[in-house]
Amino acid sequence: MDLSLTDQQEMLKQAVDDFVSRDAPIETLIELQQTERGFSDEMWRTAGELGWLGMLIPEEYGGSNTGYTDAGVVFEALGKGPVPGPFFSTVLAGEIIKELGDDAQKENYLTRIANGSLIATLAMAEPDYQWGNAGVQLAPNEEGDDYILNGEKSFVYDGHAADLIITAIRTGSDDNDISLLLVDTSIPGVSARKLEGFTSSESSVTFENARVPKSALLGEVNAVAEGLHVALMRATPLLCAYKVGGAQAVFDLSVQYSRDRVQFGRPIGRFQFVQNHIVQLVIHLDSARWTTYEALWKMDTGRQTEAAIHLAKAVTSDGYRHACDYGHEVHAGTGVVREYGLTLYTRQSRSLFHALGEPRYHRRQLAKLMPTLQLDDE
Amino acid sequence: MDFAPSYTPEQEAFRKEVRSWLDDHAPVIEGDQDSPENYAKFRQLGRDLGQRGWLRPTAPVEYGGGGMGFEETVVLYEEMSRRDLSIPPYYDSGGWLGGASILVWGSDEQKQSLLPPIFKGDVVTWQLLTGPEAGSDLAGTQTDAVRDGDDYIVNGEKIYVGGSNGVDMLWTLTRTDPEGERHKNLSWFMIPADLPGITIRPMDLLGDGGEGVGSGVKNTVYFDNVRVPAERLVGGENNGWQVATTHLELEHGAGGSVSRNLWFSRALEWARARQLNGRPLVEDSDAQDRLVEIYEKTEIQRLFGIRNFWMNRTHQSMTYEGPQSSYFRKLSGLDITTALHELFGPYALTNDEITDFSEGALDAYQRSAIVALHPGGTADVQKVLMARRIGMGRSEAERYKAGKTVE
């Protein structure tokens, strides 16, 4: 038993922390949030150069394959920024291609993901929003060796920035009768519009007579559900780690504010109602942190992960959201001033709440495991 | 990171040794675990463990401990927990926490004389903290100890004390300078329970706090001109608050735990065994949702326990983690009883010999989760501690450091 980071993980954490304080201070991130793309290409390039995008990719495709916990450490540090950008979307796409791609597809895409020259994402949900395979209704027409796509994918993270969109299509009547297409966004008929509002990087992707060759199928027709599930599950704890980093930052900000802000002649952190907000905040933070890192550890050590991952995602989505709510109770008016920075986290706590399934979805998956769940020590 | 202890071949061999030893020594218990016959079996197990140094595995061998390392100790805890046994295997709060305090604060003579009986299981020791006048305000105790020659004369009253099957030693906080400055007028004593002037009377409470075998009853302890030898004062006169930081830190959960909260596995087992509309209850979607609620709380409890266990045993710098774990356990205990109530309906409340399927466990837990809100500091006190340790509204310099812990 050892809950400390390894030396290598400490170095990784330090590298990202250094990068954030040097290149991505909060003032810079506040400006970025208001730009059209919402992230910095330069930061993206740096992440690629430093190898943060290839940590789960095998060495033969240019990755370092260092493991999930190492990648989790990097994602936590990015989330603490919070550094915006298509980091998670691209790593998720890499996991799907790793799981379902043929050799040529892996060679083509994984090498470019690993070195940061390809931005990729997954498009699942549609205007009738629901997470999961049942929500995939976009059915293609077939013309010879091509699929013709007409329709819309909604709430696609980083769709507006992506070079490649792994697009889920309906190819049969059973919920799991879906297929995946590797859609190059430069082809005619594909357009993306970033969704404004209390969102982060969600986009709407529209297909108008977009012609995609059948050679762009990732995996076999109607036979991708299992591989997609495996890849989604593996990537989920990295998204959780990103949120843990954000919740940690909100905790740090709130403690500091409780010391600095004086009302009625005392620092507000001396008032027990204010203290209670931070007490609840740190319980959410630590619940998120340890469920996430245990899931990562289970993945790295080949243990049963299903329950741990669903738990981590439910706890972390709730946890980040509540951490921000409590942070706002501590900060009151100051917290909602854009230039203070707290709302960068709050925005992500909302935008990522439902990413890869909202807490209710993951608790339902956990519930379905109850008849057969085995405890580790049984 | 490694959430599971990693075992060397030597440790695996140790596990085999522990397992086979427990095969021979673990008591067979039927019926009320607190009955005199059953309690005697747990006490015997304590003495048998003590013979091997396993009752206090990490304490120094010279005082009757096992002198064992972290990973080996984990093996021992795991094997005990697998049989639903704890270390020590009966309620011994004063031995557990007082023993730790004496290790840090006791004189050499005191360590030599007081610790071996505790660590070898020869005595049962209760802690006496709360008084009618001093609950959360522990430092406000009005149990007085006045020096008289080679003795102290102790007068006062302590409540919510101990357990159901008698006691040998009382680990007690007293006031040794009524006029003195707050927090600088307190002293600890390890008092033999059979001294003249000590009266122990059971209290009539809602239930026990789920503190293990022999904890079923709480008592009021009256001190009426009790003459206590001065060498029983531990940690220096009027230095009691310093000593208390060690004691309380452990009581507030900083010691951690590697065992699982059993309520999830129990609930799961019953939900699989019971029927609803001709199908196992566990297949009902609402029942599953309640199980998930229990799973979530118990998993987080387990993770906080592991974290604290690891931090404590590897001497990490701890701040708010102990009271956080304690607070979470108290509050989630209530949530779990609610989920169990929804899961099993009115069965959650009865211990009727025929109707109840849980052998009294469900009814007892509905009560003990409520009782457990106060021992070791109320839930609110845990939050106050967290606030100070995190340093809310305080500069780094004003931030309260955690007490010194051992083992």
Side-chain angles (χ1 to χ4, degrees), chain A residues 246-362:
Chain A
Q248 179 71 52
V250 171
F251 171 72
D252 294 344
L253 280 173
S254 299
V255 171
Q256 194 56 49
Y257 193 72
S258 84
R259 294 171 175 169
D260 297 342
R261 173 71 172 170
V262 174
Q263 288 287 276
F264 306 102
R266 318 167 65 184
I268 59 166
R270 292 298 184 102
F271 297 109
Q272 290 188 337
F273 280 125
V274 175
Q275 292 176 355
N276 183 61
H277 300 320
I278 301 179
V279 163
Q280 303 305 332
L281 197 171
V282 77
I283 289 171
H284 283 294
L285 165 62
D286 287 345
S287 301
R289 172 179 298 288
W290 295 109
T291 51
T292 294
Y293 277 94
E294 190 177 47
L296 288 164
W297 166 73
K298 286 185 171 182
M299 283 164 35
D300 279 332
T301 53
R303 286 172 160 76
Q304 284 289 327
T305 55
E306 195 89 357
I309 293 169
H310 287 306
L311 179 71
K313 182 58 169 66
V315 167
T316 305
S317 281
D318 273 344
Y320 195 10
R321 188 182 187 105
H322 290 308
C324 291
D325 291 352
Y326 284 116
H328 279 286
E329 292 222 51
V330 172
H331 283 85
T334 302
V336 294
V337 175
R338 195 198 290 268
E339 70 171 349
Y340 181 78
L342 179 61
T343 56
L344 287 177
Y345 301 98
T346 314
R347 182 178 286 271
Q348 290 198 340
S349 77
R350 269 55 179 175
S351 165
L352 300 179
F353 181 73
H354 54 270
L356 308 189
E358 63 278 3
R360 194 180 52 156
Y361 169 86
H362 287 279

Side-chain angles (χ1 to χ4, degrees), chain A residues 39 44 47-48 52-57 75 85-98 109-122 157-159 161-166 201 235 238:
Chain A
F39 69 98
W44 172 256
W52 298 341
L53 302 166
M55 299 181 70
L56 303 179
I57 290 176
F75 270 94
F87 305 103
F88 177 74
S89 294
T90 302
V91 168
L92 167 64
E95 286 296 282
I96 300 169
I97 294 168
K98 215 167 86 183
Y109 294 110
L110 294 183
T111 46
R112 287 196 281 152
I113 286 174
N115 67 23
S117 61
L118 182 83
I119 294 176
T121 190
L122 169 69
Y157 291 93
D158 306 298
D163 308 304
L164 175 75
I165 299 180
I166 299 177
S201 69
L238 299 179

Side-chain angles (χ1 to χ4, degrees), chain B residues 151-301:
Chain B
D151 299 324
Y152 284 85
I153 310 294
V154 178
N155 278 289
E157 184 180 338
K158 298 285 188 181
I159 53 177
Y160 305 115
V161 173
S164 41
N165 284 280
V167 63
D168 304 299
M169 291 288 168
L170 304 172
W171 173 241
T172 313
L173 184 65
T174 66
R175 182 171 64 173
T176 35
D177 182 5
E179 309 302 318
E181 195 184 329
R182 187 176 155 81
H183 292 140
K184 292 181 178 167
N185 61 347
L186 304 167
S187 305
W188 285 91
F189 286 89
M190 186 60 92
I191 301 177
D194 59 359
L195 290 183
I198 295 176
T199 309
I200 300 174
R201 192 175 295 160
M203 302 174 82
D204 183 13
L205 303 177
L206 174 69
D208 68 53
E211 296 169 292
V213 174
S215 70
V217 172
K218 290 289 166 196
N219 305 278
T220 303
V221 177
Y222 302 92
F223 294 92
D224 182 12
N225 286 316
V226 178
R227 186 166 280 277
V228 179
E231 70 258 22
R232 292 278 171 170
L233 189 155
V234 174
E237 189 175 276
N238 295 329
N239 192 42
W241 197 248
Q242 291 298 313
V243 179
T245 58
T246 300
H247 176 121
L248 295 172
E249 190 58 23
L250 287 171
E251 189 172 32
H252 293 149
S257 164
V258 290
S259 59
R260 194 178 278 278
N261 176 319
L262 289 169
W263 275 102
F264 174 68
S265 43
R266 280 181 192 148
L268 190 61
E269 195 179 305
W270 290 327
R272 285 174 180 173
R274 297 187 62 75
Q275 299 278 307
L276 180 72
N277 300 326
R279 289 165 56 213
L281 178 59
V282 72
E283 288 176 19
D284 176 74
S285 149
D286 285 336
Q288 290 171 355
D289 288 346
R290 300 291 87 74
L291 286 166
V292 169
E293 288 169 24
I294 299 170
Y295 181 71
E296 193 168 326
K297 300 289 181 189
T298 55
E299 284 294 279
I300 293 169
Q301 268 184 28

Side-chain angles (χ1 to χ4, degrees), chain A residues 1-3 258-259 267 269-270 275-276 280 282-283 286-287 294 297 363-364 367 370-373 377, chain B residues 1-5 71 272 288-289 296 300 302 307 310 320 324 327 383 387 390-394 396:
Chain A
M1 181 182 292
D2 181 3
L3 302 186
S258 84
R259 294 171 175 169
R270 292 298 184 102
Q275 292 176 355
N276 183 61
Q280 303 305 332
V282 77
I283 289 171
D286 287 345
S287 301
E294 190 177 47
W297 166 73
R363 291 199 174 93
R364 190 85 282 280
M370 288 299 147
T372 55
L373 185 71
D377 50 11
Chain B
M1 281 189 190
D2 187 358
F3 284 74
E71 302 285 2
R272 285 174 180 173
Q288 290 171 355
D289 288 346
E296 193 168 326
I300 293 169
R302 178 180 61 79
R307 175 197 61 186
W310 170 74
Y320 65 90
Q324 180 191 41
Y327 174 78
K383 292 201 280 188
I390 288 169
M392 298 178 204
R394 296 167 190 268
E396 271 303 317

Side-chain angles (χ1 to χ4, degrees), chain A residues 5-274:
Chain A
L5 299 179
T6 62
D7 291 346
Q8 154 136 340
Q9 288 161 353
E10 288 288 359
M11 281 164 57
L12 279 167
K13 179 177 184 295
Q14 194 58 51
V16 187
D17 286 348
D18 289 348
F19 159 76
V20 170
S21 56
R22 189 183 60 239
D23 295 343
I26 203 93
E27 310 79 54
T28 307
L29 300 183
I30 291 164
E31 280 171 29
L32 265 182
Q33 195 249 312
Q34 294 168 87
T35 62
E36 205 176 317
R37 268 162 83 75
F39 69 98
S40 147
D41 289 305
E42 208 177 315
M43 291 181 198
W44 172 256
R45 269 196 300 278
T46 305
E49 283 162 14
L50 294 177
W52 298 341
L53 302 166
M55 299 181 70
L56 303 179
I57 290 176
E59 288 165 21
E60 58 183 306
Y61 302 117
S64 57
N65 202 27
T66 56
Y68 290 93
T69 307
D70 287 17
V73 168
V74 167
F75 270 94
E76 181 187 339
L78 289 171
K80 198 174 173 194
V83 182
F87 305 103
F88 177 74
S89 294
T90 302
V91 168
L92 167 64
E95 286 296 282
I96 300 169
I97 294 168
K98 215 167 86 183
E99 198 58 34
L100 289 166
D102 60 30
D103 289 346
Q105 288 167 332
K106 288 183 191 171
E107 179 67 38
N108 182 11
Y109 294 110
L110 294 183
T111 46
R112 287 196 281 152
I113 286 174
N115 67 23
S117 61
L118 182 83
I119 294 176
T121 190
L122 169 69
M124 286 279 288
E126 297 176 17
D128 289 340
Y129 183 83
Q130 91 166 279
W131 180 250
N133 295 346
V136 174
Q137 294 301 327
L138 175 64
N141 289 319
E142 293 183 48
E143 264 187 35
D145 288 337
D146 296 332
Y147 285 116
I148 311 295
L149 298 181
N150 277 293
E152 186 185 342
K153 286 288 180 182
S154 307
F155 308 107
V156 178
Y157 291 93
D158 306 298
H160 63 290
D163 308 304
L164 175 75
I165 299 180
I166 299 177
T167 306
I169 54 172
R170 174 125 317 267
T171 41
S173 54
D174 189 80
D175 277 357
N176 285 337
D177 287 343
I178 60 167
S179 305
L180 297 173
L181 287 174
L182 293 157
V183 177
D184 178 341
T185 57
S186 65
I187 65 170
V190 179
S191 61
R193 183 180 82 254
K194 187 159 173 277
L195 298 170
E196 294 307 319
F198 203 16
T199 49
S200 60
S201 69
E202 296 94 317
S203 302
S204 173
V205 178
T206 305
F207 300 95
E208 278 179 297
N209 289 318
R211 181 176 291 270
V212 181
K214 287 183 178 172
S215 60
L217 275 167
L218 180 63
E220 309 274 326
V221 171
N222 291 344
V224 296
E226 195 182 327
L228 179 61
H229 173 73
V230 167
L232 285 168
M233 290 295 278
R234 285 189 186 151
T236 297
L238 299 179
L239 180 63
C240 293
Y242 186 83
K243 298 198 263 196
V244 167
Q248 179 71 52
V250 171
F251 171 72
D252 294 344
L253 280 173
S254 299
V255 171
Q256 194 56 49
Y257 193 72
S258 84
R259 294 171 175 169
D260 297 342
R261 173 71 172 170
V262 174
Q263 288 287 276
F264 306 102
R266 318 167 65 184
I268 59 166
R270 292 298 184 102
F271 297 109
Q272 290 188 337
F273 280 125
V274 175

